[in-house]
Amino acid sequence: MSAARVMSRVKNRVAALFAVLVLAVTAACTGGGGSSTSSTSPSPRTGGATHVLAVKIDNVAPARPHTGLEKADVVYVEQVEAGLSRILAVYSSDLPPVIGPVRSARETDLELLRQFDRPTLAFSGAQSRLLPLIDRAPVDAVPPSKAPRAYFRGQDRPAPHNLYLRPERIPFKASGVDAVAELGLRVGAAPSGGEPEDSRTVRYPSASVTFTWSAEGERWLVSLDGAPARTAEGERIGAGTVVVQDVDVRESDFRDRSGNNTPFTETVGSGDAVVLRDGRAYEARWSRSSADADTVFSTPDGRRVDLAEGPLWILYAPRG
């Protein structure tokens, strides 16, 4: 065989191997026969990669102070069993090394999170009847059973209020983009009008959240059940904008271990809202046409309500 033919065969084999390698890398990046992960899916709102982590956080006295809550872009507060409240914190722009205490998910979370593009959901667990719904929901669920190395028990408080998440150990990476962009919201000038507001309290049957305006800090200082909310380092937790959203809260098909019904918060629909920003309160309306749609906040005359700089807190307040 001539040297030229030998060289030709070598080149052909190298080319074939290179083609196989390219195909393998492409399949790996796209998930092969399955779907791609949420961390690389394009966002129809921001045009970039979707990187949103939602963590279900305990909100009773033994669970405080919270760890990493101050780094959340969006903080939702909803009613749970026995009239208590629980937090769903959403991260994207920044990620603390530890978040918690982490608690169990609720049916309300699944509808609420449809506003984001397949978020990662970290939670301690859920009722056995709810788990199939979570599996079918458009979320990437990472409870301890799926990511055992990402969770640990703290020694400074009793269970179940001592489970913490190390987010660097789950398939998630912060995007550096504020999660409010995924909600179709933006930072901008305050609407005209409004009334001066020093403090606003949202009450649940067995819990409360109070926001007090700090002109010096240019933010709303948060208090939970009458006590100042603080970080693990002792600093006050604050919000740039607060939205109090009047919603219907009804019984669901689920109960806790003590037999208490798990309330379902209806986040699809419309109703009144109050927006707190810059030391003023603005009457507003909220509207969400379907579970796949964003929630739109507008003034009574139909103009969009923009946000102030800083974390956004949204409280689902039971009507009536």
Side-chain angles (χ1 to χ4, degrees):
M1 184 180 298
S2 67
R5 292 184 65 186
V6 170
M7 289 300 298
S8 176
R9 287 191 177 186
V10 169
K11 288 181 180 180
N12 289 339
R13 288 179 181 179
V14 169
L17 288 172
F18 180 78
V20 171
L21 179 60
V22 169
L23 290 173
V25 170
T26 302
C29 292
T30 58
S35 60
S36 61
T37 61
S38 66
S39 61
T40 57
S41 61
S43 167
R45 299 179 179 89
T46 64
T50 300
H51 296 293
V52 174
L53 168 66
V55 184
K56 196 69 179 185
I57 296 179
D58 205 347
N59 195 30
V60 294
R64 302 173 194 144
H66 296 110
T67 299
L69 181 61
E70 71 278 5
K71 296 294 187 180
D73 296 329
V74 186
V75 177
Y76 292 97
V77 182
E78 65 187 58
Q79 182 178 328
V80 292
E81 298 85 0
L84 297 170
S85 66
R86 192 160 288 182
I87 289 171
L88 185 66
V90 179
Y91 300 82
S92 180
S93 62
D94 196 7
L95 203 59
V98 177
I99 301 173
V102 181
R103 289 300 300 272
S104 54
R106 295 293 185 275
E107 184 184 12
T108 296
D109 304 326
L110 304 182
E111 181 178 275
L112 186 167
L113 288 173
R114 293 280 294 277
Q115 297 176 96
F116 298 95
D117 297 306
R118 197 170 183 89
T120 298
L121 175 60
F123 58 104
S124 65
Q127 298 178 25
S128 58
R129 292 175 54 237
L130 182 59
L131 289 174
L133 298 183
I134 296 175
D135 290 339
R136 293 195 296 269
V139 301
D140 290 330
V142 285
S145 60
K146 292 186 178 180
R149 293 184 63 254
Y151 293 87
F152 70 95
R153 292 281 180 186
Q155 302 302 314
D156 60 339
R157 61 190 69 181
H161 314 292
N162 64 348
L163 182 67
Y164 294 88
L165 170 71
R166 291 190 180 96
E168 65 180 10
R169 296 186 178 182
I170 61 174
F172 176 83
K173 184 178 180 181
S175 66
V177 178
D178 196 316
V180 299
E182 286 296 322
L183 295 172
L185 302 173
R186 71 178 189 185
V187 173
S192 60
E195 297 292 335
E197 185 92 353
D198 294 328
S199 180
R200 174 70 63 116
T201 297
V202 177
R203 301 188 185 279
Y204 299 92
S206 303
S208 66
V209 185
T210 299
F211 300 91
T212 305
W213 175 247
S214 169
E216 180 180 2
E218 297 184 336
R219 59 179 184 155
W220 297 91
L221 300 178
V222 183
S223 295
L224 301 171
D225 300 332
R230 298 188 182 276
T231 67
E233 294 74 30
E235 301 295 327
R236 288 296 301 270
I237 293 177
T241 306
V242 178
V243 177
V244 182
Q245 189 174 330
D246 292 341
V247 296
D248 290 324
V249 179
R250 59 171 173 79
E251 288 192 354
S252 72
D253 295 330
F254 300 92
R255 295 183 179 274
D256 65 12
R257 294 179 179 178
S258 300
N260 297 309
N261 184 266
T262 301
F264 180 83
T265 297
E266 297 185 354
T267 59
V268 173
S270 61
D272 294 327
V274 174
V275 177
L276 306 177
R277 56 166 296 176
D278 308 318
R280 302 181 74 85
Y282 299 88
E283 298 299 322
R285 293 282 297 172
W286 70 271
S287 177
R288 186 181 177 198
S289 58
S290 68
D292 292 325
D294 293 328
T295 302
V296 176
F297 299 102
S298 58
T299 61
D301 60 0
R303 289 174 297 155
R304 183 184 60 199
V305 176
D306 289 335
L307 310 178
E309 292 281 356
L312 169 64
W313 281 58
I314 297 179
L315 292 90
Y316 293 125
R319 297 187 212 262

